[in-house]
Amino acid sequence: MAEQRTRVLIVGGGLVGLSLAAALGRAGIETMVVDREAPETTVAPPFDGRASAIAAASWRMLQRLDVAPRIRDVQPIEEIRVSDGNAPLFLHYDHRDLGDEPLGQMVENRFTRRALLDSVAELDSVILAAPMSVGRLRRGQAGVEASLSDGTLVRAELCVAADGRQSRLREEAGIDAIVRRYPQDGIVCTIAHELPHRAIAHERFLPAGPFAILPLTANRSSLVWTERSDLAPAFLELDAAAFAHEIQRRVGGFLGDLEVVGPRFRYPLTLVLAQDYHAHRLALIGDAAHGIHPIAGQGFNLGLRDVAALTEILEEAAGIGMDLGDATLLARYEQWRRTDSVVLAGVTDILNRLFSNDLPPIRLVRDLGLAAVNRTKPLRRFFMRHAMGDVGDSPALLRR
């Protein structure tokens, strides 16, 4: 049996798992990533139709990791407009109120994944094992032992679960999680449109849920359409003309004529919140620790904050020769990350419940609330900084 030694074993090679590998690798910490998908599959257009709004602080981190310069088709977000259906009152963010830095960047996930794969491939301290799966995982007193599907035995000091909302490692470790299935699905597609989007991201609240129109390059936008779970399959079965008509009805006319380009995707929406972010020689990151509603577009950013915090803790520990699976390190990581993720999960859950209805009294209150925040400059600036990832106790990789 072949044997591989590393310091950190990451199970899950999605955007967050690969980001951690890039960060640890650049810190000189030997790392191995195991992912069940072949890399060439994960960067193909049919694999994942989503695009992510990468907040300004997260973009700084990707720049420091030499990932951002490798990403193609990057569209800055210069303004955000939040409205309640067609109500005249709205909330407007403009990056110029805080300086020259964009509020964030819109990037198709496949391009971010390609850049991460290219980055870790150049790091001698990182091994990517894919397509590969982890069979038996043993977390003992002296370290972690993992049996891979090709028969390799991996020995490490720490295992990191980056294996998503239905994390097998979280379950095997006996970590309970709050899991709530929203009565909503996310329909995701890309549209090309006649008129320019002017680098404005729109979040429009409709009775079924939020409808996001997110700017992409080349006069395109990514749509995240939250729809009732019992209705979403029927919309996906519409022919191209009928589906485009439903999109146009929700977008309105400000982008002119539009057409849907590329495939349509449907994702069930869930809330997942692990009760602990660590166990013996195990740390949870990304959706394995906290999966939130996409209403604020913060899921990937939340995972990158996990990456930045865990990297800072492990880099400091490696510098003084500590065991990277030490319980005190993992407890520090959880303490650093829990409040941020729990608060954001709660806020997105409440916002979705508040805005996903059409009751006139509630609608009036929320419209007045949006307008009040828009008129209160200090409060509006605070929310803008929060959207950019510039509030709270940020790890060094995220700071200005």
Side-chain angles (χ1 to χ4, degrees):
M1 178 184 292
E3 184 173 307
Q4 179 70 51
R5 290 186 177 271
T6 190
R7 300 203 70 181
V8 178
L9 170 64
I10 302 170
V11 179
L15 296 181
V16 175
L18 287 173
S19 296
L20 180 61
L24 294 179
R26 292 198 172 275
I29 297 173
E30 292 181 343
T31 303
M32 185 172 188
V33 186
V34 179
D35 191 63
R36 287 188 290 186
E37 298 286 350
E40 58 271 19
T41 300
T42 64
V43 296
F47 181 77
D48 183 353
R50 292 170 293 183
S52 294
I54 304 176
S58 299
W59 190 250
R60 284 179 227 129
M61 171 178 163
L62 294 179
Q63 288 176 319
R64 288 171 177 140
L65 298 179
D66 194 33
V67 173
R70 303 169 187 266
I71 300 178
R72 54 175 289 194
D73 287 356
V74 177
Q75 170 61 53
I77 301 173
E78 297 181 354
E79 301 176 48
I80 299 174
R81 184 184 174 107
V82 182
S83 60
D84 192 1
N86 294 316
L89 303 177
F90 58 87
L91 174 60
H92 180 241
Y93 298 152
D94 189 325
H95 78 290
R96 290 169 293 189
D97 289 344
L98 296 177
D100 295 330
E101 188 176 24
L103 299 171
Q105 311 286 343
M106 276 300 303
V107 184
E108 293 176 60
N109 285 1
R110 60 193 175 110
F111 296 144
T112 304
R113 188 177 285 110
R114 176 78 274 168
L116 285 164
L117 287 167
D118 290 345
S119 179
V120 300
E122 294 181 0
L123 298 172
D124 293 337
S125 51
V126 177
I127 297 172
L128 174 61
M132 196 77 64
S133 60
V134 174
R136 179 174 174 270
L137 178 71
R138 179 178 176 273
R139 296 176 290 111
Q141 291 302 313
V144 175
E145 292 183 356
S147 300
L148 303 189
S149 52
D150 69 346
T152 301
L153 178 66
V154 180
R155 300 184 188 274
E157 297 169 35
L158 172 67
C159 180
V160 178
D163 53 344
R165 299 188 189 209
Q166 297 178 324
S167 171
R168 185 198 115 196
L169 296 188
R170 182 186 68 221
E171 183 178 340
E172 289 181 352
I175 300 175
D176 291 331
I178 298 169
V179 180
R180 179 179 300 152
R181 172 71 164 94
Y182 289 107
Q184 300 166 315
D185 285 355
I187 299 174
V188 178
C189 64
T190 300
I191 60 171
H193 37 80
E194 177 186 12
L195 301 177
H197 49 56
R198 297 185 298 156
I200 303 174
H202 294 260
E203 183 87 75
R204 195 169 278 175
F205 292 111
L206 303 178
F211 187 93
I213 309 163
L214 307 170
L216 295 175
T217 58
N219 242 34
R220 298 173 304 137
S221 293
S222 174
L223 300 185
V224 182
W225 167 7
T226 303
E227 187 51 76
R228 284 169 39 187
S229 297
D230 58 335
L231 298 180
F235 284 115
L236 287 176
E237 291 172 2
L238 294 174
D239 62 34
F243 187 72
H245 173 74
E246 292 294 335
I247 294 291
Q248 185 84 65
R249 205 160 61 82
R250 289 162 175 78
V251 171
F254 78 98
L255 292 174
D257 293 335
L258 60 84
E259 64 173 325
V260 178
V261 293
R264 316 166 195 176
F265 299 82
R266 178 168 68 96
Y267 298 95
L269 301 183
T270 57
L271 170 69
V272 177
L273 194 60
Q275 294 190 2
D276 297 293
Y277 290 1
H278 78 283
H280 179 66
R281 293 193 179 275
L282 177 71
L284 309 184
I285 64 170
D287 283 357
H290 41 67
I292 65 174
H293 195 283
I295 189 169
Q298 288 295 318
F300 182 35
N301 296 298
L302 200 58
L304 288 180
R305 294 203 285 275
D306 294 344
V307 168
L310 187 57
T311 298
E312 189 165 317
I313 290 168
L314 295 181
E315 186 175 7
E316 291 174 359
I320 57 175
M322 283 187 69
D323 179 347
L324 300 188
D326 189 279
T328 59
L329 300 177
L330 304 185
R332 182 182 162 203
Y333 162 69
E334 176 163 346
Q335 183 179 21
W336 198 350
R337 294 298 308 132
R338 174 163 286 280
T339 299
D340 177 34
S341 55
V342 169
V343 168
L344 190 54
V347 167
T348 54
D349 184 67
I350 291 170
L351 285 175
N352 182 54
R353 292 171 184 272
L354 177 64
F355 282 94
S356 297
N357 65 73
D358 208 26
L359 297 175
I362 296 177
R363 185 167 185 170
L364 176 61
V365 170
R366 68 198 187 202
D367 289 352
L368 292 174
L370 287 175
V373 173
N374 196 57
R375 289 196 302 266
T376 309
K377 196 170 185 178
L379 188 58
R380 189 176 75 246
R381 284 183 169 180
F382 171 78
F383 284 126
M384 287 175 63
R385 288 195 297 270
H386 194 281
M388 296 173 73
D390 283 333
V391 297
D393 182 15
S394 294
L397 279 172
L398 297 168
R399 294 178 202 147
R400 289 182 182 273

